[in-house]
Amino acid sequence: MLTTVSSPFSEHPEIRQRFAELHPPLSAQAAVVESNRCLHCFDAPCMVACPTHIDVPGFIKRIASGNLRGSGRKILDANVLAGSCSRVCPVEVLCEGACVMHRYDRPPIQIAQLQRHAMDAFHASGEPLIPVPPPAIPLRVACVGSGPASLACAAELRRAGAQVTVIERRPLPGGLNTYGVAEYKLPTADSLREVELIRQTGVEFRLSEAIETTAQLEALEAEFDYVFLGVGLGAMQSLGIPGESESIQGGADHETHGILNALQLISAYKTGHITKMSGAVVVVGAGNTAIDAAVAARRLGADPVTMLYRRGPNDVSAFDFEFDHARREGISFLWHRLPVAIRKAQDGSLLLDIEAVQPIGNHPADNRKSDRFEPVPHSLFTMECRTVIPAIGQSPLTQLLAEFRHITVEQGRIAIERATGQTTHPRFFAGGDCANGGREVVDAIADGKRAAHGILAKFNSAAEVAHVKH
Amino acid sequence: MSSIKSGSPHFTPDLAVRNFAGGINCPNPFWLASAPPTNCGEQIMRAFDAGWGGAVWKTIGAPITNVSSRYSSIDWMGQRMMGFNNIELISDRPIETNLRELTEVKKRYPAHAVIASLMVESTREAWHDIVQRSEDAGADGLELNFGCPHGMSERGMGSAVGQVPEYAQMITEWVKEVARTPVLVKLTPNIADIRTVARAAKLGGADGLSAINTINSITGIDLDTLVPRPNVGGKSSHGGYCGPAVKPIALNMVQSVMADPASALPLSGIGGIATWSDAAEFILLGCGTVQVCTAAMHYGYRIVEDMADGLSNWMRGKGFRTLEDFRGLSVNRVTEWKHLNLNFKIVAQIDEQKCIGCDLCHIACWDGAHQCIHLDRVSGPVDGHVELHPIPTSHEAASHNRITVTSVTRRERTQGAGLHSPAHGPYPTPLARIPRVDQTECVGCNLCSCVCPVDNCITMVEVPTGLPPETWDERTRGANCATEPPIL
């Protein structure tokens, strides 16, 4: 029996030092001054822009008035992982991007920092997530996966009095919050602290337990009334080029070289399995996770760190502020390039053959980008490096889901009714990356919440029917 | 504030005060009020160096013993000292010391006004004595402190005198029996009608008035210890309130005194004055000089630089060459309510180009006014002139049920409802966030323009009613009486 969810985890001091926080917290007085800048808009655009619809003016006014406990509770009402969100949300395109101050030629209210201020105070208070446990209802739900979607779903169901079990295949809970977010944004320990609060509400956690066979699924179905799937996305795609399989990851003494994908790198350093890198590193891809991996490599000691992308700077999916961050960290970019082969040099370093490419079959009419590229003749060149990090998107865990009957999977995503999280199977609900194809933490939380309400609505209507029958 | 006209005349306005209250002269109307900033000669000389035109000495009388702490304040929205409160008494220094230093100050600064604020026990002899000693020391004038609302009033002085017209008149008469310099009576606001004591002072022969002194107050209670502030070893006492918060109260009292022929005297305005524009407002209501305390305690003597500079620049823009050119011009712009024009109508108008979409006007109008600023762009079902609109909570509920997702790619971001997306239409703010005023229903109350955070976004525009001006007084007194529905 687990005493806390974080018992197998201890923070590596060197990682703590190299990945110091990007945005240190506000002081108490700065928080009050900042919160007083908030205009308290009616039907505030920031609240609408937040996928979990946190009452932003509501919690900010509580900071201004000195009601810090009320502020934290207001936030948690809408989002049980609000501490993580305050660190990892791309607020520039969410709440802070919607702030009316932009149109007032003033900087937006620092909503994320204020939210963190309230959540830090809440966590320091040691208060439980649910102050008064609700009366139990006869509803048993399993949440498979322990990322933000599952955790949000589990907490919301517990608030309603349901019996909830979270089943996670890895040894630590939290999903990408624990294993996949850059350390300078969200330390692993902080993610685990949030999970612990959810566990204390009475949610059961079964860790290191995978659901991989039909028999395991049937057992799951036998034990629970409903199942929420928050299984996230599967492994990173491989590069699919000659020489890749021969250049597997190697290394000793907490150092690494060879090929390892971005999520492997991030989870390895966050858990202290990798503490240094050296030599040249090439990251293939230009999404937000690619940038997290490139910055991590840089901070672990790699030099130079180069990012390769098959399209140009205007087509990247990383946020602008992530780019600015990467540039400040000294990362260079090679645009319109694709790796074509990997060879091994005699000294053990990697030789990456790279070609310039151009898209073919663009369809400007329907505003969609082509997924096909052709090489530019005579553009082949070779880069010598110690490590190659593929970070070119994540492919869904379709194999696991294929075992469920009646669940429709479209383009690698579990098909759901967006308002309720209901899959095509009446007892299965889903949310987070496995259903939305890979979005932000806050989107996963919103999915999980909606699915919890979907499950409760279904349970209540079933209970009504049973009541009428009796 | 002031509209600086282009091509304003090139002249340097004269800020000098001449022959105030029958004989006080100083280089500008800015005086430090009788308070800690005028506690001793050294301070007052530094204040004159900083630019102050005059100073009212911290009240001279038999030395007292003070407590600590003595001050507390009201902070508002992160801003310190919106209102300020004190329980300090008069000077704790010997009379001889104060008067010796007063002589020294006058010797070094002959052109500046040094007024001796006085408070002694209520006997003719005591007042005669202190008046003569102060004038012998060189004071340019005397200010009788009939206003101090705390401590001294318990000993029969300060506002204990100022709240009883007969006492105020009597002591003023005693002082006038011997005084050779102008005598100002400082009025307390802690009275039902400040004019009763102003009239008494005038009857007693006062040459001028100072108004207002501080207002009885308890600024707040410490919610940990449950002791009101300021905390003197676990107990508190009511104090005198001042600072920016009291300015509207002071302006009203100044106006009521200056508009009353039986009260009006040369007046030194006091109460929340912190800037040149505050000073201009007091002078427009008839004050010949103004006194400042809280702002100087907050920021130091240096604030007078902008007060003099700003007042001078405003006067230039308005074409006022001297203080007398505009003194009192607003007194008669205040009338009794019954003389206001009932047929004057204004309505709110929102500038869509300036609107930032905070929708504070909408919720203020619905919850705090007359339900005529709407978020629906088109009129709802019309029944007569009454339009049906969604109530504010229905807008909130719709937002709460909206499924929002983070836009991941740049394409999603530009196509979404982001700040710079084409979905915005012709305005900087999405049209759905720009409220609309139903001008036929608008009563012109002004609330929306008060809450709007953007300058000049909501303006009140006049709508001609086609009716001749008519006041309540005229309507109820005159021939139109019959048209007014009977009061039930």
Side-chain angles (χ1 to χ4, degrees):
Chain A
M1 185 69 195
L2 202 61
T3 46
T4 71
V5 291
S6 60
S7 53
F9 174 77
S10 64
E11 203 167 58
H12 196 290
E14 194 173 336
I15 292 299
R16 189 64 168 155
Q17 186 237 321
R18 282 191 187 221
F19 291 84
E21 267 193 292
L22 211 52
H23 303 291
L26 293 175
S27 70
Q29 187 172 2
V32 170
V33 170
E34 184 65 11
S35 61
N36 275 313
R37 286 181 61 228
C38 175
L39 295 176
H40 210 185
C41 295
F42 170 73
D43 190 19
C46 49
M47 182 207 61
V48 178
C50 173
T52 61
H53 298 320
I54 292 175
D55 178 359
V56 175
F59 89 74
I60 288 181
K61 280 298 138 188
R62 283 164 172 79
I63 294 175
S65 78
N67 179 10
L68 219 46
R69 177 181 187 270
S71 181
R73 286 247 160 254
K74 191 85 192 160
I75 296 166
L76 290 167
D77 276 350
N79 184 333
V80 286
L81 298 174
S84 297
C85 282
S86 71
R87 317 285 192 89
V88 305
C89 269
V91 288
E92 289 82 349
V93 301
L94 291 169
C95 52
E96 291 184 18
C99 181
V100 300
M101 286 288 188
H102 288 290
R103 296 191 282 267
Y104 200 14
D105 295 328
R106 290 169 197 199
I109 307 301
Q110 297 178 54
I111 298 167
Q113 284 282 52
L114 291 172
Q115 181 169 316
R116 177 176 174 184
H117 179 71
M119 292 318 301
D120 282 353
F122 178 82
H123 288 140
S125 75
E127 264 202 59
L129 211 50
I130 303 177
V132 183
I137 57 173
L139 169 65
R140 291 162 306 162
V141 181
C143 295
V144 183
S146 69
S150 274
L151 292 172
C153 183
E156 203 71 8
L157 288 166
R158 267 308 292 154
R159 278 184 179 155
Q163 310 305 306
V164 190
T165 301
V166 170
I167 299 170
E168 166 61 49
R169 65 184 174 86
R170 305 183 81 149
L172 290 176
L176 289 183
N177 272 9
T178 297
Y179 286 105
V181 177
E183 189 77 4
Y184 45 80
K185 291 183 199 160
L186 177 64
T188 301
D190 289 4
S191 166
L192 293 175
R193 184 179 58 184
E194 262 181 341
V195 181
E196 176 60 21
L197 277 176
I198 292 171
R199 191 191 68 81
Q200 286 169 3
T201 67
V203 173
E204 182 197 7
F205 278 79
R206 296 183 191 165
L207 302 175
S208 304
E209 188 174 314
I211 309 286
E212 284 167 348
T213 66
T214 320
Q216 287 166 327
L217 273 176
E218 281 167 0
L220 192 72
E221 285 172 320
E223 186 178 355
F224 298 98
D225 302 317
Y226 297 98
V227 177
F228 174 79
L229 301 165
V231 294
L233 295 168
M236 302 289 280
Q237 274 174 359
S238 60
L239 293 169
I241 56 173
E244 190 177 359
S245 54
E246 293 80 30
S247 310
I248 47 154
Q249 182 195 346
D253 191 23
H254 292 281
E255 197 172 344
T256 185
H257 58 84
I259 296 185
L260 78 166
N261 73 46
L263 285 183
Q264 283 172 334
L265 171 66
I266 293 169
S267 71
Y269 91 72
K270 278 174 75 80
T271 49
H273 291 101
I274 294 177
T275 58
K276 45 184 173 271
M277 292 178 80
S278 61
V281 166
V282 177
V283 177
V284 185
N288 294 313
T289 303
I291 285 181
D292 282 352
V295 172
R298 191 85 181 81
R299 294 213 182 175
L300 289 164
D303 188 30
V305 175
T306 310
M307 300 188 73
L308 283 192
Y309 189 48
R310 61 197 164 141
R311 304 183 201 271
N314 287 326
D315 298 318
V316 298
S317 59
F319 296 115
D320 296 344
F321 58 91
E322 295 281 19
F323 254 119
D324 294 341
H325 179 215
R327 282 196 208 98
R328 282 197 305 275
E329 295 274 347
I331 285 152
S332 52
F333 296 86
L334 279 174
W335 305 111
H336 306 291
R337 301 291 204 295
L338 269 179
V340 292
I342 297 183
R343 291 171 288 125
K344 228 173 186 167
Q346 292 198 331
D347 65 350
S349 66
L350 300 177
L351 299 170
L352 189 63
D353 294 330
I354 294 165
E355 225 169 18
V357 294
Q358 56 196 18
I360 48 175
N362 245 347
H363 301 292
D366 63 359
N367 201 22
R368 279 169 55 186
K369 293 196 201 83
S370 170
D371 259 339
R372 293 188 296 140
F373 294 83
E374 64 181 9
V376 176
H378 313 299
S379 64
L380 187 74
F381 72 103
T382 300
M383 280 182 80
E384 190 176 333
C385 59
R386 228 170 129 65
T387 311
V388 174
I389 301 173
I392 48 175
Q394 298 155 292
S395 70
L397 241 183
T398 46
Q399 279 190 322
L400 173 72
L401 304 170
E403 294 184 34
F404 295 115
R405 285 173 300 154
H406 309 306
I407 291 185
T408 304
V409 177
E410 287 167 347
Q411 295 174 324
R413 308 173 185 185
I414 302 171
I416 58 165
E417 197 181 279
R418 285 178 73 204
T420 61
Q422 173 84 62
T423 69
T424 49
H425 188 292
R427 287 177 64 195
F428 285 87
F429 290 73
D433 285 356
C434 69
N436 65 31
R439 286 190 185 259
E440 292 297 319
V441 169
V442 69
D443 295 303
I445 295 166
D447 279 355
K449 249 175 78 176
R450 282 192 289 266
H453 292 146
I455 292 168
L456 288 166
K458 200 142 192 203
F459 165 76
N460 288 331
S461 64
E464 258 171 48
V465 169
H467 183 72
V468 170
K469 276 182 183 166
H470 282 90
Chain B
M1 181 60 52
S2 64
S3 55
I4 303 296
K5 294 171 211 140
S6 58
S8 58
H10 289 280
F11 64 90
T12 305
D14 179 8
L15 295 185
V17 173
R18 293 189 186 82
N19 212 28
F20 174 67
I24 301 172
N25 300 303
C26 48
N28 65 49
F30 304 111
W31 292 4
L32 285 167
S34 170
T38 59
N39 199 45
C40 67
E42 186 273 339
Q43 283 176 291
I44 290 172
M45 289 190 284
R46 275 196 290 117
F48 289 164
D49 288 342
W52 293 91
V56 185
W57 207 282
K58 168 94 178 167
T59 302
I60 300 166
I64 52 73
T65 304
N66 271 309
V67 294
S68 67
S69 58
R70 304 170 199 179
Y71 307 133
S72 57
S73 70
I74 300 285
D75 302 339
W76 194 73
M77 297 280 282
Q79 182 72 40
R80 298 290 193 195
M81 282 171 65
M82 177 199 75
F84 192 59
N85 169 70
N86 84 89
I87 57 169
E88 186 172 287
L89 304 183
I90 65 170
S91 180
D92 56 3
R93 310 165 85 226
I95 295 172
E96 307 75 49
T97 311
N98 279 320
L99 294 179
R100 189 177 64 243
E101 290 180 5
L102 193 155
T103 305
E104 185 68 20
V105 171
K106 271 314 292 182
K107 198 191 294 173
R108 297 195 197 185
Y109 295 83
H112 289 70
V114 179
I115 312 297
S117 171
L118 304 176
M119 187 196 292
V120 292
E121 59 174 312
S122 297
T123 67
R124 177 184 250 129
E125 295 69 33
W127 279 100
H128 280 184
D129 178 62
I130 195 71
V131 165
Q132 279 167 345
R133 290 169 71 187
S134 301
E135 291 186 338
D136 289 347
D140 295 305
L142 309 173
E143 185 183 87
L144 313 187
N145 185 344
F146 294 169
C148 180
H150 47 81
M152 303 310 290
S153 52
E154 298 165 17
R155 306 175 197 180
M157 292 181 269
S159 63
V161 173
Q163 285 165 338
V164 183
E166 294 76 18
Y167 292 171
Q169 181 178 344
M170 177 178 72
I171 294 177
T172 307
E173 285 167 352
W174 291 344
V175 169
K176 285 299 289 180
E177 285 165 5
V178 292
R180 290 162 279 137
T181 61
V183 173
L184 311 177
V185 170
K186 187 165 179 178
L187 303 177
T188 177
N190 301 310
I191 185 167
D193 186 343
I194 197 166
R195 289 174 297 192
T196 56
V197 180
R199 287 170 190 159
K202 192 165 184 172
L203 286 174
D207 302 292
L209 302 168
S210 303
I212 58 174
N213 209 312
T214 55
I215 303 170
N216 284 345
S217 68
I218 292 174
T219 43
I221 296 171
D222 183 318
L223 293 177
D224 284 329
T225 63
L226 313 188
V227 178
R229 289 182 286 264
N231 182 338
V232 183
K235 288 244 168 85
S236 191
S237 186
H238 84 264
Y241 198 45
C242 54
V246 310
K247 189 184 96 174
I249 298 165
L251 283 175
N252 175 54
M253 292 192 173
V254 162
Q255 193 276 335
S256 69
V257 167
M258 295 311 285
D260 173 31
S263 301
L265 279 174
L267 180 58
S268 190
I270 313 171
I273 297 167
T275 66
W276 63 266
S277 52
D278 297 332
E281 289 167 25
F282 277 83
I283 296 169
L284 282 165
L285 289 179
C287 294
T289 64
V290 293
Q291 298 186 27
V292 177
C293 170
T294 308
M297 291 181 74
H298 195 164
Y299 299 108
Y301 300 133
R302 62 204 165 123
I303 59 163
V304 75
E305 283 176 37
D306 178 52
M307 296 183 87
D309 186 39
L311 185 65
S312 174
N313 287 332
W314 173 76
M315 288 169 65
R316 257 171 65 97
K318 287 286 184 190
F320 298 132
R321 288 175 182 274
T322 69
L323 300 176
E324 289 304 309
D325 284 358
F326 68 98
R327 190 173 67 81
L329 291 186
S330 298
V331 176
N332 294 329
R333 292 285 184 152
V334 182
T335 75
E336 287 179 281
W337 194 96
K338 65 184 178 186
H339 298 310
L340 297 175
N341 179 7
L342 298 171
N343 290 335
F344 175 73
K345 169 146 176 149
I346 54 171
V347 295
Q349 185 164 290
I350 297 171
D351 183 338
E352 290 93 345
Q353 289 294 346
K354 287 186 176 144
C355 176
I356 61 172
C358 69
D359 293 358
L360 289 173
C361 56
H362 162 73
I363 195 64
C365 188
W366 270 78
D367 288 4
H370 300 84
Q371 302 83 44
C372 35
I373 299 185
H374 308 299
L375 293 180
D376 49 347
R377 296 305 305 178
V378 291
S379 297
V382 173
D383 175 22
H385 76 290
V386 178
E387 297 178 8
L388 301 177
H389 301 276
I391 61 171
T393 42
S394 69
H395 292 292
E396 292 177 308
S399 296
H400 215 82
N401 291 326
R402 200 171 303 164
I403 296 180
T404 311
V405 293
T406 312
S407 43
V408 172
T409 64
R410 278 193 185 185
R411 201 187 322 158
E412 284 177 346
R413 273 174 254 154
T414 51
Q415 286 170 357
L419 274 179
H420 307 293
S421 76
H424 276 227
Y427 307 115
T429 294
L431 198 55
R433 293 284 310 175
I434 303 177
R436 167 180 79 78
V437 180
D438 181 345
Q439 294 192 334
T440 58
E441 294 294 310
C442 176
V443 302
C445 74
N446 233 13
L447 177 64
C448 54
S449 75
C450 292
V451 301
C452 178
V454 182
D455 283 346
N456 301 317
C457 175
I458 299 184
T459 47
M460 306 303 292
V461 292
E462 185 172 355
V463 182
T465 55
L467 300 169
E470 184 192 25
T471 68
W472 175 257
D473 192 43
E474 289 162 349
R475 186 181 290 184
T476 53
R477 189 159 42 89
N480 294 335
C481 197
T483 63
E484 188 68 23
I487 298 164
L488 299 174

